[in-house]
């Protein structure tokens, strides 16, 4: 077998499903290797809920999911990777277990059957006292007599398709199903009560994902035995940890994982807010790359378009002043704390009441919710991050002066890492941030859709080249093994959808006209959502009717302004779907959309290639999300988890490997060329990627270049292409390259080094990747 690098040079992400199994992934290793990627990176592979297309609802930590290929499939993929010299990175889910179907999750079933006496009761984060000794399961419908639909079937209680165990000795006297239910260690409750009365911790607000207390030693050992085996037996070479912020002690967990795996390569799915840094004491190589995504997107945005786009957004809202991001997210986060996560807030208040029995529970809950709404980052890791608690308290006092005394009383407890309330507050703040910001505010703050992406701060509209260089230099110095990405299974829009939407920052007046015409022809009555929807349609076009209907419904319900998941506004949604249909059925609407897409397509493709070559060559470990070597114009999940056509990708890869230089067109073959050349150079000549040094352009169009030297490999990419074209092209603008012969690995063109006209450098594509010419020995 070929040697595998201890750290990946790059990765290629694959979504493993029942339709695309580990065996299918093994068959794709030759393609991934030929493309140039260094490791294969797979979604969760432990047994998950039947029919799951993502794998994050694990039901059994002890076995590789048979539906995804089972242990044999993992062995086949591992063998194929290692024989090709590729490593294998596997996604794991320590925070929760899937409990949608209790029969599939043995630990949960045992807790339902035996209650507090179950060995596994300690594994789940359950407040038994609040439930009167019972675990509350929110599945009942709205009818007052919903429990009348319970049936006894053998040793189980059935509520429609839901099955639950009957504890021994509780159904021996001919009792009715309802009477038997009342004797169990669980209580089936109305689904709406989950918002405020649930008594187990979940993944965010997903009732079917129950939080696991992985900090308990035996829970860690038993839930990670199979995972550790993959590493110790050489089946896998690294791990990606999903949602560590949900754990009681993320740093402690990572230490346990490092000890068990011998310090294997580990990445964490961690969202960093603004200048926030990854905790330096964590045993991890870095994050999964959303922070890098935000920087790359923003260096391609025209800051000059901000004022006009703000004005458009303000008019759409019928306001006098632009909406302030911090004001918006305070409201959405508070809405989440008072709504779907109120049960977590109430539990925090109960925790406080244990130490302070004389406290006013309602007042404490109000203050806790306000602190959560004001929390500036996902969470603290006490004693680290205490400043964030103080910052939240200061802001909460300004918002709610009448709560100041209560907040002052809470602070000593919330700042003490030994206090159960402080631990739980840290677990909860990330939930409120994720649901209030990413899953609500991102659908309400619509001035430029490419900015509302996972891990990004939409308040930061753009960054200049100098700031971009500084951030990359910091990454090279502090976390060179951290992942970088442009698309994932969780991104709100694929990388090339965002790249086209970003063009609007250069054409705000034109977009205002186009949007106005579309709204007149197909009115909806929700200005911000209309902007979001038309941006998505333009960014993803051409797209199927089904895909756009799915996106519109999710976006509108997540925004929650005109319709919601729990209370759909049928009249509004009918108009909304009519808007989508108009793109296909109304010649005038379709003409506007297709005409505008044609107008901005070239600029969007330029942005796409620039983003790709920068991501693949900048500091960090670049990941290529499945299929994104061609245009990735997906929208939010599940759209971004669609099957990938690898036959066409193999065909294009063979062509570019044989020397073809395709035009930049709708096929995306030019992007595959850029991707493969960058990945191969990075893998085969690692010595060229050892540092980060900005390169400067000179001349009238110098602002349209982002360029850097990685220690021999030189990346030069075009930015703001519309403005460049309006200025009559590159003219006499030059860039100073290292003073030796260089070859563009994308086109094969050679340059002598020194001062070079950008018009000569960009003779074929809006990007170049230069490497020192190798001299034959």
């Amino acid at each position: 077998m070929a040697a595998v690098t201890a750290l990946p040079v790059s990765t290629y992400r694959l979504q493993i499903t029942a339709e695309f199994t580990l065996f299918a992934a093994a068959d794709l290793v030759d393609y991934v290797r030929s493309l140039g990627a260094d490791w294969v990176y797979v979604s969760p592979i432990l047994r998950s809920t039947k029919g799951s297309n993502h794998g994050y609802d694990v039901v059994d930590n002890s076995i590789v999911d048979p539906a995804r290929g089972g242990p044999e499939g993992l062995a086949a993929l591992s063998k194929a990777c290692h024989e090709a010299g590729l490593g294998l990175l596997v996604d794991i889910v320590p925070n929760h277990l899937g409990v949608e179907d209790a029969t599939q999750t043995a630990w949960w079933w045992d807790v339902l059957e035996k209650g507090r006496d179950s060995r596994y009761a300690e594994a789940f984060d359950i407040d038994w006292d609040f439930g009167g000794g019972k675990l509350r399961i929110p599945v009942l419908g709205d009818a007052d007599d919903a429990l009348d639909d319970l049936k006894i079937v053998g040793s189980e209680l059935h509520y429609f398709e839901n099955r639950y165990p009957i504890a021994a000795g509780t159904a021996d006297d001919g009792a009715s199903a309802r009477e038997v239910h009342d004797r169990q260690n669980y209580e089936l409750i109305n689904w709406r009560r989950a918002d405020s009365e649930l008594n187990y911790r979940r993944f965010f607000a997903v009732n079917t994902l129950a939080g696991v207390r992985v900090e308990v030693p035996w829970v860690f050992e038993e839930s990670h035995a199979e995972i550790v085996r993959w590493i110790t037996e050489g089946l896998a070479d690294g791990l990606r940890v999903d949602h560590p912020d949900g754990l009681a002690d993320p740093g402690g967990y990572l230490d346990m994982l490092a000890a068990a795996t011998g310090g294997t390569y580990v990445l964490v799915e961690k969202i960093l807010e603004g200048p926030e840094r990854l905790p330096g004491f964590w045993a991890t190589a870095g994050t999964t790359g959303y922070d890098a995504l935000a920087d790359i997107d923003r260096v391609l945005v025209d800051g000059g378009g901000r004022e006009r786009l703000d004005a458009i957004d303000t008019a759409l809202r019928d306001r006098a002043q632009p909406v302030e991001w911090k004001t918006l997210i305070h409201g959405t986060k508070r809405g989440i704390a008072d709504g779907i996560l109120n049960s977590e807030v109430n539990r925090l208040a109960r925790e406080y009441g244990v130490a302070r029995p004389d406290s006013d529970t309602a007042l404490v809950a109000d203050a806790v919710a306000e602190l959560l709404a004001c929390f500036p980052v996902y969470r603290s890791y006490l004693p680290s991050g205490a400043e964030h608690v103080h910052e939240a308290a200061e802001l909460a006092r300004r918002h709610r002066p009448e709560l100041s005394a209560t907040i002052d009383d809470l602070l000593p407890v919330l700042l003490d890492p030994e206090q159960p309330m402080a631990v739980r507050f840290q677990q909860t703040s990330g939930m409120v941030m994720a649901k209030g910001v990413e899953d609500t505010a991102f659908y309400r703050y619509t001035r430029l859709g490419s900015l509302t992406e996972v891990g990004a701060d939409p308040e930061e509209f753009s960054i200049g080249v100098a700031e971009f260089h500084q951030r990359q230099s910091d990454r090279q110095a502090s976390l060179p093994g951290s992942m970088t990405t442009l698309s994932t299974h969780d991104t709100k829009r694929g990388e090339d959808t965002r790249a086209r939407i970003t063009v609007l920052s250069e054409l705000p007046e034109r977009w205002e006209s186009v949007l106005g015409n579309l709204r007149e022809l197909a009115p909806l009555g929700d200005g911000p959502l209309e902007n979001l929807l038309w941006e998505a349609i333009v960014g993803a076009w051409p797209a199927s009717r089904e895909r756009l209907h799915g996106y519109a419904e999710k976006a509108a319900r997540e925004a929650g302004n005109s319709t919601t998941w729990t209370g759909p506004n049928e009249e509004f949604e009918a108009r909304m779907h009519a808007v989508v249909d108009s793109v296909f059925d109304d010649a005038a609407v379709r003409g506007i959309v297709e005409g505008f897409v044609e107008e901005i397509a070239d600029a969007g493709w330029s942005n796409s290639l620039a983003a790709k070559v920068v991501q693949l060559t900048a500091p960090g470990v670049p990941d290529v999300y499945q299929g994104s070597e061609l245009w990735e114009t997906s929208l939010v999940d599940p759209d971004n988890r669609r099957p990938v056509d690898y036959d066409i990708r193999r065909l294009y890869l063979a062509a570019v490997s044989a020397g073809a230089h395709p035009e930049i067109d709708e096929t995306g073959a030019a992007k595959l060329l850029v991707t493969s050349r960058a990945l191969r150079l990075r893998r085969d000549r690692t010595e060229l990627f050892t540092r980060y040094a900005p390169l400067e352009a000179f001349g009238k169009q110098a602002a349209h270049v982002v360029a850097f030297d990685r220690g021999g490999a030189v990346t030069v990419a075009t930015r703001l292409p519309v403005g460049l074209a309006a200025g009559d092209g590159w003219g006499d603008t030059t860039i100073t390259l290292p003073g030796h012969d260089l070859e563009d690995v994308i086109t094969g063109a050679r340059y002598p080094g020194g001062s070079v006209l950008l018009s000569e450098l960009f003779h074929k594509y809006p990007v170049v990747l230069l490497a020192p010419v190798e001299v034959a020995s």
Side-chain angles (χ1 to χ4, degrees):
M1 293 189 179
V4 174
T5 56
L7 299 179
V9 176
S10 62
T11 62
Y12 189 94
R13 166 81 177 202
L14 294 171
Q15 294 294 114
I16 305 301
T17 67
E19 291 71 38
F20 187 88
T21 66
L22 291 160
F23 289 108
D27 291 340
L28 200 66
V29 165
D30 65 316
Y31 168 79
V32 174
R33 168 71 186 175
S34 182
L35 186 67
D38 186 47
W39 282 28
V40 171
Y41 163 32
V42 295
S43 60
I45 58 174
L46 291 169
R47 190 199 296 267
S48 59
T49 303
K50 291 177 182 177
S52 170
N53 71 348
H54 51 75
Y56 289 95
D57 45 359
V58 172
V59 297
D60 186 347
N61 282 299
S62 69
I63 186 171
V64 177
D65 195 342
R68 288 172 161 76
E72 299 81 7
L74 175 59
L77 175 58
S78 176
K79 182 173 184 290
C81 285
H82 294 160
E83 286 182 346
L86 273 62
L88 179 59
L89 179 70
V90 183
D91 202 338
I92 62 171
V93 191
N95 177 70
H96 52 265
L97 283 173
V99 296
E100 181 176 14
D101 179 355
T103 66
Q104 296 182 42
T105 311
W107 289 18
W108 189 251
W109 185 268
D110 198 73
V111 173
L112 292 177
E113 182 179 7
K114 300 171 185 173
R116 281 173 154 161
D117 293 333
S118 168
R119 175 176 182 266
Y120 299 103
E122 186 182 21
F124 296 99
D125 196 351
I126 303 167
D127 186 351
W128 291 99
D129 290 340
F130 180 62
K134 296 176 181 287
L135 174 57
R136 290 177 172 170
I137 310 297
V139 296
L140 297 181
D142 290 334
D144 292 336
D145 57 354
L147 284 174
D148 290 344
D149 290 312
L150 281 172
K151 292 181 174 59
I152 298 174
V153 181
S155 60
E156 297 177 354
L157 271 178
H158 288 198
Y159 178 69
F160 296 102
E161 70 277 8
N162 301 292
R163 297 162 57 190
Y164 305 98
I166 295 176
T170 61
D172 298 338
D173 57 359
S176 68
R178 188 163 189 158
E179 290 170 324
V180 170
H181 164 266
D182 292 342
R183 299 170 184 172
Q184 302 310 306
N185 294 298
Y186 54 87
E187 177 189 5
L188 304 186
I189 64 173
N190 180 272
W191 66 276
R192 297 182 189 275
R193 292 174 62 188
D195 286 0
S196 58
E197 299 178 49
L198 208 62
N199 67 332
Y200 64 91
R201 181 173 60 85
R202 304 159 288 173
F203 170 73
F204 297 157
V206 183
N207 298 334
T208 57
L209 298 176
V212 174
R213 299 182 63 230
V214 75
E215 68 273 11
V216 178
W218 76 261
V219 176
F220 175 86
E221 291 168 9
E222 293 192 22
S223 64
H224 284 67
E226 173 69 1
I227 294 166
V228 171
R229 183 183 74 83
W230 301 340
I231 302 298
T232 57
E233 294 186 8
L235 288 167
D237 305 286
L239 301 169
R240 180 262 198 195
V241 177
D242 181 65
H243 190 48
D245 277 349
L247 305 178
D249 180 11
Y253 167 78
L254 291 171
D255 287 341
M256 289 192 291
L257 190 63
T261 62
T264 195
Y265 179 72
V266 168
L267 293 169
V268 290
E269 186 222 14
K270 166 63 185 169
I271 303 298
L272 298 170
E273 292 292 319
E276 182 188 10
R277 300 285 186 136
L278 195 67
F281 56 87
W282 279 12
T284 178
T287 73
T288 51
Y290 291 118
D291 39 352
L293 178 157
D295 292 342
I296 294 167
D297 277 359
R298 275 156 181 73
V299 79
L300 300 177
V301 172
D302 185 356
R306 177 173 188 161
E307 185 176 345
R308 188 68 223 152
L309 288 174
D310 274 344
I312 295 169
D313 182 70
T314 302
L316 290 171
R317 298 173 189 274
D318 196 25
R319 290 170 54 98
Q321 298 293 328
V323 63
E324 292 186 352
W325 172 247
K326 286 185 172 60
T327 300
L328 174 65
I329 63 171
H330 176 272
T332 56
K333 290 170 68 178
R334 181 67 206 229
I336 293 296
D338 291 338
I340 60 175
L341 288 178
N342 191 239
S343 58
E344 303 297 333
V345 172
N346 291 338
R347 187 166 179 183
L348 282 163
R350 293 196 300 274
E351 293 276 11
Y352 186 74
V354 172
R356 303 281 182 86
D358 58 340
S359 62
D360 184 328
T361 302
L363 190 63
V364 169
D366 191 8
V368 166
E370 190 62 30
L371 287 166
L372 290 168
C374 293
F375 211 76
V377 295
Y378 265 68
R379 61 167 286 173
S380 55
Y381 308 94
L382 295 175
S384 177
E387 70 276 10
H388 301 312
V389 181
H390 286 294
E391 183 181 345
E394 181 180 351
L395 183 58
R397 292 188 196 101
R398 291 206 301 268
H399 274 280
R400 298 287 303 283
E402 72 277 18
L403 293 176
S404 294
T406 305
I407 291 169
D408 290 343
D409 289 341
L410 286 171
L411 279 184
V413 177
L414 293 178
L415 289 166
D416 183 352
E418 301 302 317
Q419 287 285 343
M421 183 190 188
V423 174
R424 188 167 304 283
F425 184 89
Q426 292 176 95
Q427 292 176 281
T428 305
S429 61
M431 299 184 196
V432 174
M433 177 74 83
K435 296 305 295 181
V437 177
E438 292 173 21
D439 291 347
T440 307
F442 274 14
Y443 292 93
R444 295 185 184 182
Y445 197 71
T446 63
R447 65 176 178 182
L448 189 64
S450 55
L451 300 181
T452 47
E453 192 47 82
V454 180
D457 178 2
E459 190 174 39
E460 183 174 64
F461 188 82
S462 64
I463 61 173
V465 173
E467 177 63 22
F468 177 80
H469 287 320
Q470 183 60 57
R471 295 183 186 185
Q472 301 316 301
S473 295
D474 290 347
R475 180 180 298 276
Q476 175 69 14
S478 60
L479 288 171
S482 190
M483 184 175 278
T484 70
T485 190
L486 290 178
S487 298
T488 77
H489 61 286
D490 275 336
T491 40
K492 305 297 185 185
R493 299 163 192 81
E495 60 201 58
D496 301 313
T497 304
R498 297 197 312 276
R500 187 183 288 172
I501 292 172
T502 288
V503 178
L504 305 184
S505 70
E506 295 197 74
L507 296 166
E509 290 83 5
R510 179 76 180 105
W511 176 241
E512 183 175 25
S513 173
V514 169
L515 178 62
N517 290 335
L518 290 169
R519 294 182 69 215
E520 185 175 346
L521 289 170
L524 179 57
D526 182 334
L529 183 66
E530 288 174 272
N531 196 22
L532 183 77
L533 183 55
W534 287 115
E535 285 178 341
I537 291 171
V538 166
W541 193 262
S544 71
R545 192 187 299 255
E546 179 184 18
R547 289 177 58 207
L548 294 181
H549 277 300
Y551 175 76
E553 180 176 280
K554 181 165 186 173
R557 292 181 178 180
E558 294 281 61
N561 284 325
S562 298
T563 187
T564 65
W565 289 108
T566 55
N569 182 327
E570 294 182 4
E571 181 182 348
F572 174 82
E573 292 196 2
R575 293 200 310 273
M576 177 186 72
H577 288 298
V579 168
V580 173
D581 285 332
S582 72
V583 187
F584 301 91
D585 302 334
D586 186 316
V589 172
R590 187 182 184 108
I592 292 173
V593 168
E594 292 187 337
F596 186 65
V597 168
E598 184 177 359
E599 186 178 329
I600 66 172
D602 288 346
W605 289 334
S606 177
N607 284 342
S608 291
L609 295 182
K612 201 66 177 177
V613 76
V614 167
Q615 183 241 342
L616 294 178
T617 59
V621 176
D623 175 57
V624 176
Y625 183 65
Q626 59 174 29
S628 65
E629 59 271 31
L630 296 185
W631 302 134
E632 171 51 81
T633 56
S634 293
L635 296 167
V636 72
D637 64 279
D639 191 57
N640 55 19
R641 298 170 186 172
R642 289 171 293 142
V644 176
D645 182 349
Y646 283 108
D647 289 339
I648 192 67
R649 286 164 176 77
R650 285 183 184 275
L651 181 67
Y652 288 171
L653 182 58
V656 301
S657 298
H661 296 120
E663 298 300 318
I664 305 175
D665 59 21
E666 65 279 354
T667 66
K671 186 184 180 188
L672 188 143
L673 168 67
V674 169
T675 301
S676 61
R677 293 290 195 269
L679 287 173
R680 291 173 184 176
L681 180 68
R682 190 149 190 177
R683 180 193 64 196
D684 299 339
R685 300 181 68 181
T686 56
E687 74 279 4
L688 302 181
F689 295 86
T690 57
R691 64 167 188 163
Y692 186 89
L695 291 180
E696 191 174 359
F698 302 91
K700 182 180 179 182
Q701 305 287 24
H704 293 277
V705 178
V706 55
F708 48 86
D709 183 342
R710 290 301 320 282
V714 173
T715 297
V716 190
T718 301
R719 62 188 294 267
L720 313 184
V722 175
L724 175 66
D728 298 324
W730 292 109
D732 61 357
T733 305
T734 62
I735 189 168
T736 302
L737 300 173
H740 52 73
D741 289 348
L742 295 160
E743 179 181 356
D744 178 11
V745 300
I746 299 171
T747 64
R750 293 195 172 189
Y751 302 91
S755 182
V756 177
L757 285 168
L758 286 169
S759 58
E760 295 179 6
L761 208 58
F762 293 127
H763 72 280
K764 176 67 176 178
Y765 298 115
V767 299
V768 294
L769 177 55
L770 304 166
V773 174
E774 293 185 285
V775 179
S777 57

